[in-house]
Amino acid sequence: MFGKHMPRALLISSASLMTIAIAGIASQTVDWQDLGKKLAPPTEADGRMTTAGKTDDDASASTTERRKQDESHSVIAEVSRPAIAPQPAPAPAFQDKLTVGTDRPVGGLMSLSSGSGGAALRNGVQPEPPAMPAVQQADRERFASAEANPLKRTSADPVSTFSVDVDTASYSYVRSTLSGGRLPNPDAVRVEEMVNYFDYNYPVPEKGGHPFSTKVSVVDTPWNEHTRLMQVGIQGYKVPLNDLPPQNLVFLIDTSGSMADANKLPLLQQSFRLLLSSLRDEDEVAIVTYAGSSGVLLEPTRVADRSRILEKINALTSGGSTAGHEGLKGAYALAETMTGDGEQTRIILATDGDFNVGLSDPDSLKRYVAEQRENGTALSVLGFGRGNYNDELMQTLAQNGQGVAAYIDTLSEARKVLVDQVVSSISMIAQDVKIQVEFNPETVAEYRLIGYETRALKTEDFKNDKVDAGDIGAGHNVTALYEITPVGSPAEKFSDLRYGPKEKIEAVRTSYSGELAFVKLRYKLPGDKESTLVETPVMEDTVGIPKSETLFAASVAAFGQKLKGTDYLGDWDFKAIEKLASDNKGADPFGYRSEFLTLVRLADVAER
């Protein structure tokens, strides 16, 4: 605006503030925010640029605009500094009721105190123009979430059934938000994904038996001395990458205009370069891109030809709208041509989640992906960036495509998902894994499942092998936590019923009377139609998992519940959560648990 209408000589002159202000009024085009953008180079927060709410049309021109700005900056650097100081952008972490997306604001606007301008003038110092408020960005982020699981009375509803979940997208999204100085949208918090972000010290089963081990521990609940916490841990057996059958991967990449930001397409390119370094020469890769329309960028190519694949990845550019459905159709068609006997084929969709051309609603895409899954091609989803992030869509695609959903906010997260966990990300050892827990009404008065709200199943779905559920990759572990209230505990919430059952419930058999619960698990081996049942009784003193591991998992669960705003923690605060996690951090070879402590501290500051 300013550079477009004002003479070039005026930009590089040393004219006074009054001269420029008068010229701006005459042209009627001066804009303080625009002026700050013209004179100051683009800034990044933690190495990542954010453009929440940017439309595809706006984003498609962002690369060209930044090039023009860079050229302008080089010219400005060669002349004396103008009399007007560049307008600083308001710090997002301190805006007052000016939010990006749906994140909750923290603190108030930083502003000059009353009368400061007059004092500055008396001291001969030119005051800076007052900070302009940030423009409210459109809320285009959507999340797959639900109300927290309610407390249940065991005598009336003793059975809890759900599908396993190995996704971790919620944790890394929450980390991205807290790193920006804000508390996350409560809907973005899925407690089970927070808990399952971490590995726990579960025993690894040997190949030849069940594909995973099942362990249970019971400890006192840290935030409620009158209840107990039951942890169910599942650990899949580990498979070296070289022992996997040949892998066929189709990279389905969103190159629409909304992907132009540094934490979207550029980070995506870095992530796929990391994944490529993890694959074997005999594996095969193809690339399909989609924007206004879709197309095959790279025909199926052996990873041995890395230079050709890297050339295509490095050449990706963004622009246009988001024809995601067309891209999916093209990727599935190409994947079908790649699959051979004994090989595994998977599509890895990388996007900010915005499908705005063609089939785009979650229900329709769910049916489409479920139909395609029957052909043997799995679908995993990697989410990038902010503003258009459509978590609801990503969860739908991954859950119905027999894949995982991850949110990549840093290169470190890309390494975790695509290098350190590459085997579990691209292979599976068990399908349609369901858990059902039956609580003993003689020992447990009440219970609640912490998390898994979007994975709930009907009681009758447990034995129905036609009902889909979650899949477990090699080396994956799954954790579930229940808070249970013993019979006679002061923590019981439900009042006694005036009108009990018409017929007295038969007492639990003596041989079962010492049990708290009975854990049942069903799974299918890949390709099988019938499930296998695994059963584990839980006693009051069951300790199948080290206590410190259960307590660390409890600290993560408490953190997720606190961020989500549930009422079950009482007066427990972030400092108590931090202490519990710190006391039980244990082995931390990759630093993920130390990073968790940092996030708890950030949340504590942001809440004030």
Side-chain angles (χ1 to χ4, degrees):
M1 294 168 62
F2 186 90
K4 177 178 178 182
H5 297 284
M6 299 301 294
R8 180 181 182 85
L10 184 56
L11 278 175
I12 62 175
S13 71
S14 58
S16 66
L17 174 63
M18 185 62 70
T19 302
I20 292 181
I22 293 173
I25 293 171
S27 65
Q28 297 181 2
T29 58
V30 171
D31 184 292
W32 282 112
Q33 283 190 310
D34 191 61
L35 177 60
K37 293 176 183 177
K38 296 288 184 180
L39 296 178
T43 60
E44 295 187 4
D46 298 327
R48 301 183 300 274
M49 297 183 67
T50 58
T51 56
K54 181 184 292 184
T55 64
D56 287 331
D57 291 337
D58 292 338
S60 64
S62 61
T63 302
T64 303
E65 180 62 24
R66 284 196 296 270
R67 188 180 299 114
K68 290 179 180 179
Q69 291 177 353
D70 290 342
E71 293 171 357
S72 175
H73 301 148
S74 65
V75 173
I76 294 172
E78 295 174 2
V79 300
S80 60
R81 175 178 288 274
I84 300 177
Q87 173 65 29
F94 298 98
Q95 293 169 4
D96 183 16
K97 300 185 184 303
L98 293 169
T99 63
V100 177
T102 54
D103 298 336
R104 287 176 279 175
V106 179
L109 267 174
M110 298 176 62
S111 61
L112 298 174
S113 61
S114 176
S116 62
L121 285 173
R122 285 194 296 271
N123 293 328
V125 178
Q126 176 66 51
E128 292 184 356
M132 299 295 291
V135 176
Q136 173 73 34
Q137 298 288 353
D139 177 8
R140 300 180 64 185
E141 298 190 334
R142 286 159 284 178
F143 300 96
S145 188
E147 292 294 323
N149 287 322
L151 187 69
K152 294 189 176 182
R153 188 199 296 265
T154 306
S155 60
D157 192 358
V159 178
S160 169
T161 309
F162 62 96
S163 163
V164 300
D165 186 3
V166 295
D167 294 340
T168 59
S170 180
Y171 182 89
S172 48
Y173 181 90
V174 166
R175 177 180 60 204
S176 172
T177 304
L178 289 171
S179 296
R182 293 181 176 277
L183 293 172
N185 180 338
D187 287 343
V189 181
R190 288 187 293 276
V191 179
E192 75 278 5
E193 292 189 21
M194 303 284 287
V195 172
N196 281 304
Y197 185 84
F198 300 93
D199 287 331
Y200 300 94
N201 190 20
Y202 301 148
V204 179
E206 298 291 335
K207 292 185 65 175
H210 293 299
F212 42 76
S213 64
T214 304
K215 297 295 180 181
V216 182
S217 273
V218 182
V219 302
D220 292 337
T221 305
W223 55 83
N224 190 340
E225 63 179 333
H226 300 298
T227 66
R228 308 206 74 193
L229 200 65
M230 186 177 85
Q231 179 180 13
V232 180
I234 300 171
Q235 175 67 59
Y237 66 73
K238 298 183 178 180
V239 180
L241 179 62
N242 289 334
D243 290 352
L244 291 180
Q247 300 292 308
N248 302 309
L249 301 178
V250 179
F251 298 166
L252 176 56
I253 300 176
D254 181 354
T255 56
S256 62
S258 65
M259 291 291 291
D261 302 326
N263 62 348
K264 293 187 180 182
L265 186 58
L267 179 57
L268 180 156
Q269 290 170 301
Q270 291 177 300
S271 301
F272 277 118
R273 286 195 288 265
L274 284 176
L275 175 57
L276 191 63
S277 70
S278 304
L279 301 177
R280 303 161 297 182
D281 287 352
E282 62 267 29
D283 296 327
E284 202 167 41
V285 166
I287 301 176
V288 175
T289 62
Y290 66 92
S293 59
S294 64
V296 177
L297 181 65
L298 177 70
E299 295 288 346
T301 302
R302 295 285 181 187
V303 174
D305 193 358
R306 280 181 170 82
S307 60
R308 184 182 176 205
I309 302 172
L310 285 171
E311 179 184 359
K312 297 297 185 181
I313 292 174
N314 294 337
L316 292 170
T317 58
S318 60
S321 53
T322 317
H325 181 223
E326 288 300 316
L328 275 175
K329 289 198 300 184
Y332 276 117
L334 189 58
E336 190 173 357
T337 68
M338 299 170 67
T339 305
D341 292 339
E343 298 180 348
Q344 294 180 344
T345 304
R346 180 178 297 269
I347 296 170
I348 300 179
L349 168 61
T351 177
D352 63 359
D354 190 23
F355 279 36
N356 56 29
V357 175
L359 195 64
S360 59
D361 67 281
D363 288 340
S364 298
L365 283 168
K366 175 180 177 179
R367 290 191 294 270
Y368 175 74
V369 170
E371 291 170 1
Q372 298 300 318
R373 182 188 62 205
E374 299 302 321
N375 296 328
T377 300
L379 172 67
S380 291
V381 185
L382 305 179
F384 290 84
R386 300 293 296 272
N388 293 325
Y389 183 61
N390 191 338
D391 172 84
E392 179 184 16
L393 180 63
M394 294 181 182
Q395 292 292 317
T396 295
L397 294 174
Q399 289 180 17
N400 291 277
Q402 290 182 330
V404 298
Y407 178 76
I408 308 297
D409 59 329
T410 64
L411 194 58
S412 175
E413 183 66 16
R415 177 174 293 279
K416 178 180 185 288
V417 173
L418 301 175
V419 178
D420 300 338
Q421 299 175 349
V422 62
V423 173
S424 58
S425 297
I426 65 176
S427 68
M428 69 179 71
I429 58 175
Q431 296 176 282
D432 294 336
V433 184
K434 309 169 188 174
I435 296 177
Q436 186 169 84
V437 179
E438 180 184 353
F439 289 96
N440 181 354
E442 286 195 351
T443 56
V444 177
E446 301 158 356
Y447 70 91
R448 68 182 181 94
L449 173 61
I450 302 175
Y452 289 95
E453 287 86 0
T454 64
R455 297 280 188 161
L457 295 174
K458 298 176 182 178
T459 301
E460 60 268 27
D461 289 342
F462 182 71
K463 293 181 65 175
N464 186 350
D465 286 342
K466 293 182 179 179
V467 174
D468 296 324
D471 303 322
I472 296 179
H476 259 144
N477 62 51
V478 180
T479 299
L481 294 169
Y482 284 90
E483 184 176 3
I484 58 179
T485 306
V487 170
S489 167
E492 287 189 40
K493 300 290 187 183
F494 289 103
S495 302
D496 292 335
L497 296 177
R498 179 180 176 87
Y499 304 102
K502 292 182 179 180
E503 297 180 6
K504 185 177 180 180
I505 300 175
E506 183 181 354
V508 175
R509 257 187 279 170
T510 304
S511 57
Y512 299 159
S513 61
E515 293 180 359
L516 290 176
F518 194 59
V519 178
K520 295 183 285 186
L521 188 146
R522 282 191 179 274
Y523 72 91
K524 299 175 189 172
L525 293 175
D528 283 3
K529 298 296 183 182
E530 296 183 0
S531 63
T532 299
L533 177 65
V534 179
E535 299 175 323
T536 306
V538 182
M539 310 301 292
E540 293 184 10
D541 58 352
T542 296
V543 184
I545 302 166
K547 183 177 180 180
S548 62
E549 294 294 275
T550 299
L551 291 177
F552 184 82
S555 72
V556 183
F559 185 57
Q561 292 176 91
K562 183 76 173 173
L563 292 175
K564 201 163 183 65
T566 59
D567 298 327
Y568 295 110
L569 297 181
D571 59 358
W572 243 53
D573 57 15
F574 287 119
K575 290 192 183 319
I577 293 170
E578 180 188 350
K579 186 178 187 309
L580 181 64
S582 179
D583 291 346
N584 297 279
K585 187 174 74 169
D588 188 25
F590 298 107
Y592 299 137
R593 296 190 176 193
S594 296
E595 180 190 61
F596 172 71
L597 292 173
T598 300
L599 294 186
V600 177
R601 296 184 194 111
L602 287 174
D604 187 29
V605 172
E607 187 184 42
R608 297 175 190 174

